[in-house]
Amino acid sequence: RLFTLPRGLAGIFCLVEAEGKVEKGSKFELVERPYPQWSMVELSKAIYGGEGDPKAIMRGVGSWGRPVKELHKLIQNPYLAECEWKDELRKIAKKLEKKGGRSRKNSVSLMSLRRLELKSTWIPFIIAFFVAMLSCLMVMVMTD
């Protein structure tokens, strides 16, 4: 799940309308595609691709970084399966409602900037340390 969903490699659910046999050589025909903008790949990337929270990918949970209006339209989509898809979308909607409709996209980027800032303040000290160590090694080699 951690590998397949963010990359849009999720499986699909099919509705069986009439009982029958499926065997080698059976042909399937696409009858309609009422929501062409929402392929399985696009849907997987929107929910599990980390658009709303990049850390969600590593936790294997959904997040939402697109307009909330799109999220609610997907929840109302009659062709989208309840299991996995709508269940996850409802969880995301509930989290967003608690946050006042904001995704974590901005806060995550600010956190990343703070981490980068913290790391960059140590760079001169790290360089100075290695220069000092190199100097010591050179002095040791020259005194031998």
mmCIF file of all heavy atoms in Angstrom, residues 42-61:
data_model
loop_
_atom_site.group_PDB
_atom_site.id
_atom_site.type_symbol
_atom_site.label_atom_id
_atom_site.label_comp_id
_atom_site.label_asym_id
_atom_site.label_seq_id
_atom_site.Cartn_x
_atom_site.Cartn_y
_atom_site.Cartn_z
ATOM 1 N N GLU A 42 -5.112 9.301 -11.045
ATOM 2 C CA GLU A 42 -5.313 10.662 -10.534
ATOM 3 C C GLU A 42 -5.930 10.642 -9.141
ATOM 4 O O GLU A 42 -5.537 11.408 -8.261
ATOM 5 C CB GLU A 42 -6.192 11.463 -11.497
ATOM 6 C CG GLU A 42 -6.276 12.925 -11.178
ATOM 7 C CD GLU A 42 -4.947 13.651 -11.235
ATOM 8 O OE1 GLU A 42 -4.049 13.223 -11.987
ATOM 9 O OE2 GLU A 42 -4.806 14.662 -10.518
ATOM 10 N N LEU A 43 -6.880 9.761 -8.941
ATOM 11 C CA LEU A 43 -7.530 9.633 -7.641
ATOM 12 C C LEU A 43 -6.521 9.196 -6.567
ATOM 13 O O LEU A 43 -6.471 9.768 -5.484
ATOM 14 C CB LEU A 43 -8.670 8.626 -7.736
ATOM 15 C CG LEU A 43 -9.565 8.465 -6.528
ATOM 16 C CD1 LEU A 43 -10.281 9.761 -6.209
ATOM 17 C CD2 LEU A 43 -10.579 7.363 -6.777
ATOM 18 N N SER A 44 -5.713 8.213 -6.891
ATOM 19 C CA SER A 44 -4.696 7.729 -5.945
ATOM 20 C C SER A 44 -3.704 8.825 -5.588
ATOM 21 O O SER A 44 -3.343 8.996 -4.426
ATOM 22 C CB SER A 44 -3.932 6.545 -6.534
ATOM 23 O OG SER A 44 -4.762 5.443 -6.673
ATOM 24 N N LYS A 45 -3.259 9.550 -6.588
ATOM 25 C CA LYS A 45 -2.292 10.627 -6.337
ATOM 26 C C LYS A 45 -2.907 11.750 -5.504
ATOM 27 O O LYS A 45 -2.251 12.319 -4.651
ATOM 28 C CB LYS A 45 -1.750 11.166 -7.654
ATOM 29 C CG LYS A 45 -0.791 10.210 -8.320
ATOM 30 C CD LYS A 45 -0.268 10.773 -9.619
ATOM 31 C CE LYS A 45 0.703 9.803 -10.274
ATOM 32 N NZ LYS A 45 1.185 10.309 -11.549
ATOM 33 N N ALA A 46 -4.177 12.068 -5.770
ATOM 34 C CA ALA A 46 -4.843 13.137 -5.021
ATOM 35 C C ALA A 46 -5.003 12.775 -3.547
ATOM 36 O O ALA A 46 -4.823 13.613 -2.670
ATOM 37 C CB ALA A 46 -6.207 13.438 -5.638
ATOM 38 N N ILE A 47 -5.325 11.519 -3.278
ATOM 39 C CA ILE A 47 -5.573 11.102 -1.896
ATOM 40 C C ILE A 47 -4.301 10.639 -1.195
ATOM 41 O O ILE A 47 -4.007 11.058 -0.074
ATOM 42 C CB ILE A 47 -6.623 9.966 -1.845
ATOM 43 C CG1 ILE A 47 -7.941 10.449 -2.446
ATOM 44 C CG2 ILE A 47 -6.832 9.487 -0.410
ATOM 45 C CD1 ILE A 47 -8.975 9.348 -2.619
ATOM 46 N N TYR A 48 -3.521 9.788 -1.854
ATOM 47 C CA TYR A 48 -2.378 9.169 -1.188
ATOM 48 C C TYR A 48 -1.021 9.692 -1.669
ATOM 49 O O TYR A 48 0.010 9.173 -1.266
ATOM 50 C CB TYR A 48 -2.425 7.651 -1.393
ATOM 51 C CG TYR A 48 -3.642 7.017 -0.769
ATOM 52 C CD1 TYR A 48 -4.715 6.606 -1.557
ATOM 53 C CD2 TYR A 48 -3.723 6.839 0.602
ATOM 54 C CE1 TYR A 48 -5.834 6.030 -0.988
ATOM 55 C CE2 TYR A 48 -4.843 6.267 1.179
ATOM 56 C CZ TYR A 48 -5.894 5.866 0.377
ATOM 57 O OH TYR A 48 -7.000 5.297 0.954
ATOM 58 N N GLY A 49 -1.020 10.693 -2.510
ATOM 59 C CA GLY A 49 0.235 11.215 -3.067
ATOM 60 C C GLY A 49 0.930 12.245 -2.206
ATOM 61 O O GLY A 49 1.966 12.775 -2.593
ATOM 62 N N GLY A 50 0.365 12.575 -1.054
ATOM 63 C CA GLY A 50 1.015 13.509 -0.139
ATOM 64 C C GLY A 50 0.842 14.967 -0.502
ATOM 65 O O GLY A 50 1.585 15.810 -0.020
ATOM 66 N N GLU A 51 -0.135 15.293 -1.325
ATOM 67 C CA GLU A 51 -0.333 16.688 -1.725
ATOM 68 C C GLU A 51 -0.714 17.575 -0.544
ATOM 69 O O GLU A 51 -0.293 18.721 -0.466
ATOM 70 C CB GLU A 51 -1.402 16.793 -2.812
ATOM 71 C CG GLU A 51 -0.976 16.192 -4.124
ATOM 72 C CD GLU A 51 -2.044 16.293 -5.197
ATOM 73 O OE1 GLU A 51 -3.046 17.019 -5.008
ATOM 74 O OE2 GLU A 51 -1.878 15.641 -6.239
ATOM 75 N N GLY A 52 -1.510 17.074 0.365
ATOM 76 C CA GLY A 52 -1.918 17.856 1.528
ATOM 77 C C GLY A 52 -0.944 17.753 2.670
ATOM 78 O O GLY A 52 -0.788 18.671 3.462
ATOM 79 N N ASP A 53 -0.248 16.631 2.768
ATOM 80 C CA ASP A 53 0.705 16.387 3.848
ATOM 81 C C ASP A 53 1.738 15.380 3.354
ATOM 82 O O ASP A 53 1.456 14.189 3.295
ATOM 83 C CB ASP A 53 -0.032 15.830 5.067
ATOM 84 C CG ASP A 53 0.893 15.479 6.217
ATOM 85 O OD1 ASP A 53 2.102 15.766 6.140
ATOM 86 O OD2 ASP A 53 0.402 14.914 7.206
ATOM 87 N N PRO A 54 2.924 15.846 2.965
ATOM 88 C CA PRO A 54 3.946 14.930 2.436
ATOM 89 C C PRO A 54 4.293 13.770 3.376
ATOM 90 O O PRO A 54 4.645 12.701 2.926
ATOM 91 C CB PRO A 54 5.157 15.834 2.222
ATOM 92 C CG PRO A 54 4.589 17.198 2.063
ATOM 93 C CD PRO A 54 3.367 17.230 2.942
ATOM 94 N N LYS A 55 4.141 13.968 4.672
ATOM 95 C CA LYS A 55 4.460 12.906 5.633
ATOM 96 C C LYS A 55 3.399 11.801 5.640
ATOM 97 O O LYS A 55 3.638 10.723 6.129
ATOM 98 C CB LYS A 55 4.609 13.493 7.032
ATOM 99 C CG LYS A 55 5.819 14.384 7.167
ATOM 100 C CD LYS A 55 5.912 14.934 8.559
ATOM 101 C CE LYS A 55 7.120 15.834 8.679
ATOM 102 N NZ LYS A 55 7.227 16.414 10.014
ATOM 103 N N ALA A 56 2.223 12.098 5.099
ATOM 104 C CA ALA A 56 1.138 11.109 5.069
ATOM 105 C C ALA A 56 1.514 9.900 4.226
ATOM 106 O O ALA A 56 1.053 8.793 4.494
ATOM 107 C CB ALA A 56 -0.147 11.745 4.537
ATOM 108 N N ILE A 57 2.362 10.105 3.223
ATOM 109 C CA ILE A 57 2.792 8.993 2.369
ATOM 110 C C ILE A 57 3.471 7.916 3.213
ATOM 111 O O ILE A 57 3.184 6.736 3.070
ATOM 112 C CB ILE A 57 3.763 9.482 1.267
ATOM 113 C CG1 ILE A 57 3.054 10.427 0.317
ATOM 114 C CG2 ILE A 57 4.351 8.307 0.502
ATOM 115 C CD1 ILE A 57 3.976 11.085 -0.688
ATOM 116 N N MET A 58 4.364 8.327 4.095
ATOM 117 C CA MET A 58 5.106 7.368 4.916
ATOM 118 C C MET A 58 4.211 6.680 5.946
ATOM 119 O O MET A 58 4.500 5.582 6.372
ATOM 120 C CB MET A 58 6.276 8.061 5.629
ATOM 121 C CG MET A 58 7.299 8.627 4.657
ATOM 122 S SD MET A 58 7.889 7.422 3.440
ATOM 123 C CE MET A 58 8.755 6.280 4.477
ATOM 124 N N ARG A 59 3.128 7.344 6.326
ATOM 125 C CA ARG A 59 2.192 6.740 7.289
ATOM 126 C C ARG A 59 1.145 5.886 6.592
ATOM 127 O O ARG A 59 0.389 5.177 7.245
ATOM 128 C CB ARG A 59 1.518 7.835 8.111
ATOM 129 C CG ARG A 59 2.465 8.594 9.029
ATOM 130 C CD ARG A 59 1.721 9.482 10.018
ATOM 131 N NE ARG A 59 0.683 10.299 9.427
ATOM 132 C CZ ARG A 59 0.827 11.563 9.030
ATOM 133 N NH1 ARG A 59 2.007 12.160 9.145
ATOM 134 N NH2 ARG A 59 -0.177 12.241 8.523
ATOM 135 N N GLY A 60 1.071 5.985 5.257
ATOM 136 C CA GLY A 60 0.092 5.198 4.503
ATOM 137 C C GLY A 60 -1.332 5.677 4.685
ATOM 138 O O GLY A 60 -2.266 4.894 4.576
ATOM 139 N N VAL A 61 -1.492 6.966 4.978
ATOM 140 C CA VAL A 61 -2.830 7.530 5.130
ATOM 141 C C VAL A 61 -3.046 8.606 4.069
ATOM 142 O O VAL A 61 -2.098 9.132 3.499
ATOM 143 C CB VAL A 61 -3.047 8.131 6.544
ATOM 144 C CG1 VAL A 61 -2.966 7.058 7.598
ATOM 145 C CG2 VAL A 61 -2.068 9.243 6.835
#
